[in-house]
Amino acid sequence: MAETFAPPRRIDWVGISFAVVLTLVIIFPLIVVGTWAFTNVWRYPAIIPQEFGLRFWSQTLARPDVWSAITTSISLACVVTLLSAIICLPAAFAFARLEFPGRSLLFFSFLAGQAFPKFGLLVAIAGIFLGLNLIGTFWGVVLIQLVGTLLFMIWIPVAAFQGVDRRMEEAARDVGASPLRVFWSITLPQAGPTIAAAVLLTFVNTFYETEGAWLIGAPGIRTMPVLMISFINNQPVIQYGAVLSVILWIPSFFALLFARRVISGGSFARGFGA
Amino acid sequence: MAVLDIKGISKHFGAGVLAVDNLELTVGDGELVCLLGPSGSGKSTLLRMVGGFETPSGGSITIDGEEVIHLPPERRPTGMVFQSHALWTHMNVYKNIAFGLKLRRRPADEIKRRVDAVMELVGLAGYGERQTHQLSGGQQQRVALARSLVLEPKILLLDEPFASLDQHLRERLREEVRDIQQRLGITTLFVTHGQDEALSMADRIVVLRDGKVEQVAAPDVLYREPATPFVAGFIGTMNLIEGTVSNGTFSRAGFSSPLPVGDGPVTFAVRPEALVIAPAAGAGAAKIHRVTDYGTHAIVDLELPDGLRLKSMVPEARHWTTGQAVDLAPRAFSAYRDNALIYRSNAAR
């Protein structure tokens, strides 16, 4: 009879040091910010706060500018994501499936928005928007943020559509589905998870987008990140910033929960052509 | 009665690439016809034109007397099984099979009855709730087959359906598919590049080469009476010897044989089992290069003085050794000139 011997357990120092470094770099700042958000009094040199509490939550949430920033941010992110999907998804399908003159040139032109220093680009656009009276307006910010979403919302869905097995679509035609029905019942469900990943990325990126929102939106439009920056710059009290940070985590937390449900393993990677 | 009638069909890809060249083919009711040929011979293109996935450059395809060439795939009475299975991975087995019936808006109880029946037929009873990725390759192929069969197509199109399966499974599935096909009496067009598959399944085999038909015949006829040197070389193993005939004798290097045809170049074809070898007293016609024992028989590789290799099948390996000089006596053979059969010995018939 064969006996199995457990190999002598070796301590995986490399793994442990990775875990420690990651903890320090990612988890530790989160813990510090999270702690600050629920702290009433924390004076040097105490290691833990002298007094926990929700005092700064009630103070922060009592401010009308916070509430208006939350509404602005959420509606901006929703509108931009929706518009981006309406514009980009059909375009992505065309890029993936149709041959037309200038296809590759147009396709790679979406990189241009990311290839140059963003701030310079924004300033130039702001100049144009000034002439169009779009500075400080909701739709001005929508437009500028829309530009930032193009790359992900085109490139990832293109990969998703290209990744759908053409034989699957042919098999559906074969059993009697019209081209439109094939798109609806086969192509879209097959590409769905990857496209959902792109939509999610777009939503979260837009929610946290700061430069464009600040440059084009100020002073009329204040998003959460813009408000947080001004809090950090203008308030001597750390807790305001910390509370806002925690509030800012909420959308990405829900996005991640949603992502786990919608996106099967590897969809993101497939979206990037892996 | 002819169910499928293909007349003068051609397909060009781009400029000058002729995938299918003015091809004619008739498939009778309940017949299983294999399209056999090397890759690039146009067999898949032909099948895809019947299914409606490629538009022919010219010609006509009728099914039950009705012209289908202008119909899109969804309106043709054909059912296709793809090499890659092409199952819809976002649906379970039941939904995959039921999809076509749902599109036809059949009542729910009829859909259930027909899907269950076809799953029983292909040996997948009880697998309805499985996801496609939980199935083995053979089971996936059965789902693909069931998906087509449930719609009762007039013609079943199989595009190298077993190519992605291992040898053992392939042999079992082809027997099953043949059984199902005969039981349902469904007219079937089957593409393969494996001659074993074609020989074991088909009522008739169409050998294709460069988009043209080389020969259409029943498997046994194809094996015994290949019409061209290409078919002779493609079906089974064949020694093809290029040589010349003068005064009724074919010769090439040390090999010669009586051949009552006119003088000139000839391709002499003899199967390994018909090429009898005998120990030579002197130099002999050929030397043994290698002896491979397969248990039931042995294959002797021979080398003519000019280097041409031939194969001979012998009952036992032990009488033969490498380097031995042998004489050759073709027992049954045929001869080709200008790509056409010009002579077949009596025993070859």
Side-chain angles (χ1 to χ4, degrees):
Chain A
M1 203 182 103
E3 277 184 63
T4 50
F5 293 97
R9 183 170 292 195
R10 289 179 50 203
I11 298 172
D12 184 1
W13 287 110
V14 179
I16 290 175
S17 37
F18 262 113
V20 167
V21 169
L22 281 178
T23 309
L24 283 178
V25 173
I26 299 174
I27 312 283
F28 189 66
L30 290 180
I31 292 173
V32 171
V33 173
T35 313
W36 266 115
F38 297 96
T39 293
N40 286 353
V41 184
W42 191 357
R43 285 194 202 90
Y44 186 80
I47 292 181
I48 55 165
Q50 277 92 354
E51 189 190 337
F52 286 103
L54 294 172
R55 179 150 60 92
F56 286 92
W57 279 84
S58 50
Q59 282 183 19
T60 309
L61 292 177
R63 299 175 60 124
D65 55 350
V66 168
W67 282 106
S68 85
I70 290 176
T71 352
T72 306
S73 271
I74 289 176
S75 45
L76 258 178
C78 287
V79 168
V80 169
T81 306
L82 191 72
L83 278 182
S84 183
I86 291 172
I87 296 168
C88 294
L89 294 183
F93 187 74
F95 274 122
R97 290 300 171 79
L98 308 177
E99 274 303 326
F100 48 88
R103 183 181 167 278
S104 344
L105 191 73
L106 213 56
F107 189 52
F108 281 97
S109 71
F110 291 104
L111 263 184
Q114 313 282 323
F116 301 107
K118 201 147 177 218
F119 216 73
L121 202 69
L122 287 174
V123 169
I125 294 176
I128 302 170
F129 277 20
L130 203 60
L132 297 170
N133 278 330
L134 282 168
I135 295 292
T137 65
F138 181 79
W139 292 104
V141 179
V142 167
L143 269 180
I144 199 74
Q145 293 192 329
L146 205 51
V147 175
T149 65
L150 290 180
L151 183 75
F152 280 153
M153 275 299 254
I154 297 268
W155 278 40
I156 296 178
V158 162
F161 284 129
Q162 279 174 343
V164 177
D165 183 2
R166 298 301 286 268
R167 296 284 183 264
M168 267 191 211
E169 299 178 355
E170 286 183 347
R173 290 291 295 277
D174 195 59
V175 300
S178 65
L180 202 66
R181 183 68 199 245
V182 171
F183 179 79
W184 190 250
S185 296
I186 309 296
T187 316
L188 215 50
Q190 284 288 324
T194 311
I195 290 175
V199 171
L200 214 63
L201 263 179
T202 301
F203 184 86
V204 173
N205 278 350
T206 309
F207 196 85
Y208 294 124
E209 200 275 338
T210 319
E211 297 147 313
W214 176 69
L215 206 67
I216 305 291
I221 299 295
R222 281 183 124 185
T223 64
M224 291 273 285
V226 172
L227 187 70
M228 191 177 72
I229 287 174
S230 76
F231 270 24
I232 293 168
N233 285 342
N234 306 331
Q235 303 273 347
V237 184
I238 296 175
Q239 280 92 327
Y240 284 117
V243 167
L244 267 192
S245 300
V246 173
I247 295 176
L248 270 171
W249 286 343
I250 295 171
S252 45
F253 179 72
F254 278 108
L256 278 176
L257 278 187
F258 179 68
R260 278 173 55 92
R261 275 169 43 90
V262 174
I263 301 164
S264 57
S267 290
F268 265 107
R270 239 181 291 139
F272 288 103
Chain B
M1 195 197 109
V3 167
L4 175 66
D5 208 351
I6 299 172
K7 280 204 171 71
I9 207 91
S10 296
K11 176 69 186 177
H12 304 262
F13 283 117
V17 185
L18 199 56
V20 174
D21 186 6
N22 196 24
L23 194 140
E24 313 270 330
L25 177 65
T26 299
V27 181
D29 195 11
E31 200 180 15
L32 192 155
V33 170
C34 256
L35 304 176
L36 179 65
S39 36
S41 59
K43 54 192 193 303
S44 274
T45 307
L46 179 62
L47 192 81
R48 289 172 59 76
M49 286 195 287
V50 176
F53 299 108
E54 303 281 355
T55 314
S57 311
S60 116
I61 298 173
T62 58
I63 296 173
D64 270 352
E66 194 186 333
E67 180 65 63
V68 296
I69 211 135
H70 301 295
L71 297 179
E74 63 267 28
R75 292 178 51 204
R76 294 194 185 192
T78 54
M80 181 120 156
V81 175
F82 294 85
Q83 178 184 340
S84 58
H85 318 319
L87 299 183
W88 305 307
T89 50
H90 58 290
M91 303 181 191
N92 64 20
V93 170
Y94 184 90
K95 285 179 176 158
N96 262 276
I97 301 172
F99 186 63
L101 292 170
K102 285 209 175 106
L103 289 173
R104 282 163 180 71
R105 300 182 192 289
R106 311 307 304 175
D109 55 333
E110 183 194 326
I111 293 179
K112 171 127 182 45
R113 185 169 45 75
R114 284 171 69 172
V115 172
D116 285 347
V118 82
M119 280 174 53
E120 178 84 42
L121 179 73
V122 299
L124 280 177
Y127 281 82
E129 295 305 315
R130 298 280 183 102
Q131 293 302 315
T132 55
H133 64 83
Q134 296 172 306
L135 302 179
S136 67
Q139 290 169 333
Q140 293 188 7
Q141 197 60 77
R142 285 163 210 259
V143 176
L145 185 65
R147 191 168 67 178
S148 290
L149 288 177
V150 77
L151 301 172
E152 295 169 4
K154 282 184 182 154
I155 299 175
L156 186 63
L157 305 172
L158 304 168
D159 190 4
E160 307 214 18
F162 311 135
S164 58
L165 308 174
D166 64 54
Q167 180 65 26
H168 179 71
L169 195 59
R170 202 180 309 177
E171 280 171 18
R172 215 177 72 202
L173 263 176
R174 73 186 179 213
E175 277 172 33
E176 279 182 37
V177 168
R178 179 61 164 156
D179 281 349
I180 290 171
Q181 183 266 336
Q182 285 180 328
R183 204 161 355 137
L184 300 178
I186 185 166
T187 310
T188 304
L189 204 54
F190 189 112
V191 162
T192 178
H193 64 259
Q195 46 163 309
D196 285 355
E197 219 154 271
L199 291 170
S200 64
M201 290 181 74
D203 292 312
R204 279 191 304 150
I205 297 174
V206 180
V207 181
L208 290 172
R209 179 201 192 188
D210 298 336
K212 288 196 180 82
V213 173
E214 286 275 316
Q215 187 174 6
V216 184
D220 56 328
V221 177
L222 208 61
Y223 187 81
R224 282 184 288 110
E225 301 171 19
T228 67
F230 175 79
V231 176
F234 194 71
I235 306 290
T237 312
M238 181 72 93
N239 297 304
L240 291 172
I241 310 166
E242 306 280 348
T244 46
V245 173
S246 65
N247 299 324
T249 301
F250 172 84
S251 60
R252 158 84 185 241
F255 174 76
S256 67
S257 164
L259 184 60
V261 298
D263 290 3
V266 151
T267 304
F268 188 94
V270 54
R271 298 251 180 232
E273 61 267 33
L275 185 61
V276 179
I277 55 174
K287 274 199 160 49
I288 292 179
H289 175 69
R290 182 190 296 127
V291 181
T292 313
D293 196 344
Y294 287 95
T296 55
H297 64 276
I299 294 291
V300 178
D301 282 284
L302 305 160
E303 194 171 284
L304 292 187
D306 67 351
L308 184 75
R309 293 279 171 82
L310 302 175
K311 285 178 190 298
S312 169
M313 188 196 283
V314 296
E316 282 179 279
R318 59 190 170 106
H319 303 304
W320 311 100
T321 51
T322 302
Q324 191 179 357
V326 292
D327 285 322
L328 309 176
R331 201 157 39 76
F333 54 91
S334 31
Y336 302 88
R337 181 177 285 163
D338 298 331
N339 208 33
L341 184 74
I342 53 168
Y343 179 80
R344 178 177 291 132
S345 71
N346 272 324
R349 278 198 195 112

